[in-house]
Amino acid sequence: MTASSLESGSRGAGNKVGTRNVLAKIWQQDGPGYMFLLPWLIGFFGLTVGPMVTSLYLSFTDFDLLTDPNWVGASNYVRMFTADPKFAAAMRVTFFFVIFSVPLKLAFALLVAMLLNRGLRGLPLYRAIFYLPSLLGTSVAIAILWRQLFAGDGLVNQFLANFGIDGPSWISNPRYSLWTLIVLSVWQFGSPMIIFLAGLRQIPQDMYEAASLDGASKFRQFYKITLPLLTPVVFFNAIVQTIEAFKSFTPAFVISGGTGAPINSTLFYTLYLYQEAFGFFRMGYASALAWFLLAMIAAFTAFSFLTSKYWVHYDD
Amino acid sequence: MTLRLNRRRFLMGSSALMAAGAVGLRPVLAQDGRIRLLFWGGQDRADRTYGVSDLFESQTGAAVDGEFLGWGDYWTKLGTQTAGGNAPDVMQMDYRYIVEYATRGAIAPLDEFVGEVLELADFDADQIEGGRVNDQLYGISLGANSVAMLNNLSAFEQVGIDPPDRNTTYADWREMGEAFNSSDIGMKALSDGSGVEPMLDNWLRQQGLMLYTADGELGFGEDEAVEWFRMWQELREADIIVSAEQQALDTGGGLEATMVVQKLSASMPSNSNQLVAYQSLMEDDLSISSYPRIEPGSGGGHYRKPSMFFSVAGSSSAKETAARFVNFFVNDVEAAEILGVERGIPCAEHVREALAPQLDEKSRIALEFVANLDDLLGPLPPPPPPAAGEIDSSLLRTISQEIAFGARSPEDGGRAFVEGARDILSRASS
């Protein structure tokens, strides 16, 4: 209502003057809109685009916070791939985390969504409860809780002790520490679960009815009906969760005290980036790391979109 | 039409206001004679510090806005604020960083204030020396301390052996560890010190070596590094020290996660000024002793370290007020009574004399420990090179864990440590 009166108002003004060029006309039409967007635009350019462009520049310098940056060409990027064992370690840890946490989390989320989709009473309540861990999300409090759960004398080992199992100190043993973080990530299955649930409800019931009349088993129904019709949702969830997993920071930071310990086994890419930037003040190198992370995520997302036509099934 | 113009004007005006606000922010904060103070530490230190800044305000009218963070976050915040031209007027500074900050002009030389608003007549000479960079005074020591073993006396009593003292050697520690193992106390004698930089430093100094030379080179070689890790490997294999998993629980985040507080070991390497803070966390009776000697009669490993400094920002517009506050902090007896020895032993003699009779037992132990190091005492080492922090946190601790978890042999670890440290040093200086 406001928009249309506004539009006609500016058009009227444009006609009156008559001899304006195209740009001015566009301004006449859209100018007020941009003015309304201005507070957001200032934030977007000042707080997002500006710093990003600056960091691209800094990634070609040796900026160390205290002295002025010097141009060093591509040497930060060269060092990353040729002379930085910690970078390699961080890449290994991050890819391991992404490769295991994302499928496990999606599978778990789908499982819970299917359980909830069986016409339960009080569904909203269950949905809310299962979503809760995701709300608490990657908070510091949860990471501390995890530390307590998986420490040597933590709850997990006290439980295992009932079965005569003497569990290791999960979080401080390099063999298991990353797995505790993967379990933490899987536990936060709420947001893909909600999306799966919505997707499941879109699948017409008559398909299942027809399938069971034809004698298809539950498993076959899942495999032939649910999964294909759900692929767009799986696709969406996979991309979102993978990006999240690449960016994961807080749990590793809290559980390892910011060190990536023990023996760099929880040295997530972002944690390494943080160490370089704020631990050792190598802002130039850290900027280069950040841009490579962006490139990695972009490449992965592009790859997913390119391959999607082979496995994502759209109804229409 | 009129309406539209008004709306535009309003938008223009408000965005201009926003821009002005963004630009005008800093002058607004910096005005009216307040100074800002940033320091690292815990709540106890903060309470004492704010007590002194309140006292300073009531006596001089100059307000001090204090803020404190944990050690790790502190350097991040200070670095960011300094880079943003918004450094606090007074900042807590460490021996590890003072050269870096001084040579870059991030902190100001204080020589012009000495004898004026900054009184150092009866200040310990070695503590003044510790705050000098290139013959200029950049930091005022807030207290002297020394590395020390933190010992749980109750545990030693329970096991039925004498606690360690100034003559205890590494070999003695091994015997004590065996006594612990044959008791049913369920605690090791010692934490794993193989990744503790000051302990390695102390061990090297007893052999006449050092961690870093004055030119910022590594002061020891592969042989020493291998021997160091081998010594700890032997203690580990003999079950004298805590397990790798247990030691890895202490990620350096705070006192609570340390081996003594977790009651996993009776003793661990620490600092003399921290006795008070640790005792406040534990029921058991705690005390301190010197680091182990490498053999009977060897000494010179310890030194009286300026535990921390106050420095004044190079960009500060109120340097004189800032220097006045620093002076008040280290010289005023009433302030000293609030501060106690929590930051180390006061460096001004008149403060020490006034304070000594009023100290509680643990504080007096710390004071006497630092005052009576005698033959354990060696010269103050040169300030470490800027890369020392990285060598400590990302190399020494990682390799010590790799050996403890069996991923490397002590020989391999020693070689990797020296090689890695040289690599980091050369990268930092290039």
Side-chain angles (χ1 to χ4, degrees), chain B residues 117-180:
Chain B
V117 298
L118 192 54
E119 191 53 62
L120 298 178
D122 65 347
F123 214 75
D124 290 341
D126 60 347
Q127 299 299 308
I128 297 178
E129 204 45 48
R132 282 191 198 282
V133 179
N134 300 331
D135 290 330
Q136 284 185 299
L137 186 62
Y138 282 94
I140 303 300
S141 172
L142 301 182
N145 71 355
S146 172
V147 292
M149 297 301 296
L150 183 76
N151 305 315
N152 183 338
L153 295 184
S154 310
F156 280 92
E157 195 178 329
Q158 206 180 322
V159 172
I161 55 173
D162 288 336
D165 59 27
R166 57 180 293 113
N167 292 316
T168 307
T169 62
Y170 278 98
D172 296 334
W173 273 104
R174 196 181 169 123
E175 279 173 29
M176 292 191 282
E178 279 155 9
F180 267 75

Side-chain angles (χ1 to χ4, degrees), chain B residues 89-270:
Chain B
D89 299 281
V90 179
M91 67 193 86
Q92 207 163 287
M93 185 49 61
D94 184 73
Y95 201 51
R96 187 185 293 288
Y97 289 96
I98 192 168
V99 176
E100 199 169 357
Y101 273 78
T103 50
R104 288 170 176 172
I107 49 179
L110 299 171
D111 302 82
E112 56 176 305
F113 301 114
V114 175
E116 306 284 324
V117 298
L118 192 54
E119 191 53 62
L120 298 178
D122 65 347
F123 214 75
D124 290 341
D126 60 347
Q127 299 299 308
I128 297 178
E129 204 45 48
R132 282 191 198 282
V133 179
N134 300 331
D135 290 330
Q136 284 185 299
L137 186 62
Y138 282 94
I140 303 300
S141 172
L142 301 182
N145 71 355
S146 172
V147 292
M149 297 301 296
L150 183 76
N151 305 315
N152 183 338
L153 295 184
S154 310
F156 280 92
E157 195 178 329
Q158 206 180 322
V159 172
I161 55 173
D162 288 336
D165 59 27
R166 57 180 293 113
N167 292 316
T168 307
T169 62
Y170 278 98
D172 296 334
W173 273 104
R174 196 181 169 123
E175 279 173 29
M176 292 191 282
E178 279 155 9
F180 267 75
N181 290 349
S182 52
S183 78
D184 58 354
I185 190 169
M187 195 191 281
K188 296 290 170 199
L190 199 55
S191 71
D192 185 343
S194 61
V196 179
E197 188 211 46
M199 204 167 194
L200 171 61
D201 182 37
N202 181 282
W203 181 83
L204 289 166
R205 283 164 57 88
Q206 292 189 52
Q207 306 172 52
L209 300 165
M210 52 175 101
L211 212 46
Y212 301 106
T213 65
D215 328 324
E217 299 290 329
L218 215 54
F220 61 98
E222 230 172 76
D223 292 347
E224 288 81 22
V226 169
E227 199 192 330
W228 167 255
F229 288 126
R230 200 181 278 151
M231 176 181 81
W232 284 100
Q233 181 71 7
E234 282 164 13
L235 289 171
R236 194 173 293 124
E237 281 163 0
D239 218 15
I240 304 295
I241 59 176
V242 299
S243 73
E245 273 177 8
Q246 290 172 337
Q247 186 65 47
L249 285 171
D250 180 5
T251 53
L255 306 186
E256 292 81 1
T258 54
M259 295 299 103
V260 166
V261 178
Q262 293 288 319
K263 297 210 172 185
L264 293 169
S265 75
S267 297
M268 65 178 182
S270 177

Side-chain angles (χ1 to χ4, degrees), chain A residues 16 29 67 93 125 186 201 205 229 285 312:
Chain A
K16 229 182 258 172
Q29 276 190 16
T67 43
V93 170
L125 178 70
V186 172
R201 306 202 126 192
Q205 283 303 315
L229 289 177
Y285 191 58
V312 178

Side-chain angles (χ1 to χ4, degrees), chain A residues 6 9-10 13 16 27-28 31-32 35-36 38-39 42 63-67 76 79 83-84 86 147 151-153 167-176 253-257 259 261-264 272 274-276 278-283 285, chain B residues 1 4 7-8 11-12 15 18-19 72-73 75-84 97 100-101 103-104 106 244-253 257 262 389-391 393-395 397-399 401-403 405-407 423-424 427-428 430:
Chain A
L6 194 150
S10 32
K16 229 182 258 172
W27 174 248
Q28 284 281 317
M35 283 308 231
F36 277 112
L38 197 60
I42 290 174
F63 186 47
D64 65 356
L65 269 190
L66 294 179
T67 43
N76 284 332
R79 183 188 150 76
D84 189 354
K86 258 187 117 175
R147 236 187 111 82
D153 54 356
S169 177
W170 304 93
I171 55 152
S172 65
N173 188 315
R175 206 176 301 162
Y176 310 112
F253 179 80
V254 175
I255 283 177
S256 73
T259 60
I263 323 187
N264 296 336
Y272 179 51
Y274 174 86
Q275 280 185 0
E276 285 289 311
F278 297 105
F280 312 133
F281 298 133
R282 282 193 281 263
M283 291 293 163
Y285 191 58
Chain B
M1 187 77 191
R4 202 180 71 212
R7 190 173 57 219
R8 276 192 181 169
L11 280 169
M12 297 281 218
S15 54
M18 276 171 64
D73 297 333
W75 296 103
T76 306
K77 183 139 191 169
L78 184 62
T80 323
Q81 289 195 348
T82 303
Y97 289 96
E100 199 169 357
Y101 273 78
T103 50
R104 288 170 176 172
E245 273 177 8
Q246 290 172 337
Q247 186 65 47
L249 285 171
D250 180 5
T251 53
Q262 293 288 319
E390 185 178 356
I391 293 174
S393 71
S394 76
L395 198 62
R397 284 184 224 171
T398 305
I399 289 181
Q401 284 182 341
E402 285 173 335
I403 297 171
F405 280 108
D423 195 43
I424 292 174
R427 182 182 174 203
S430 64

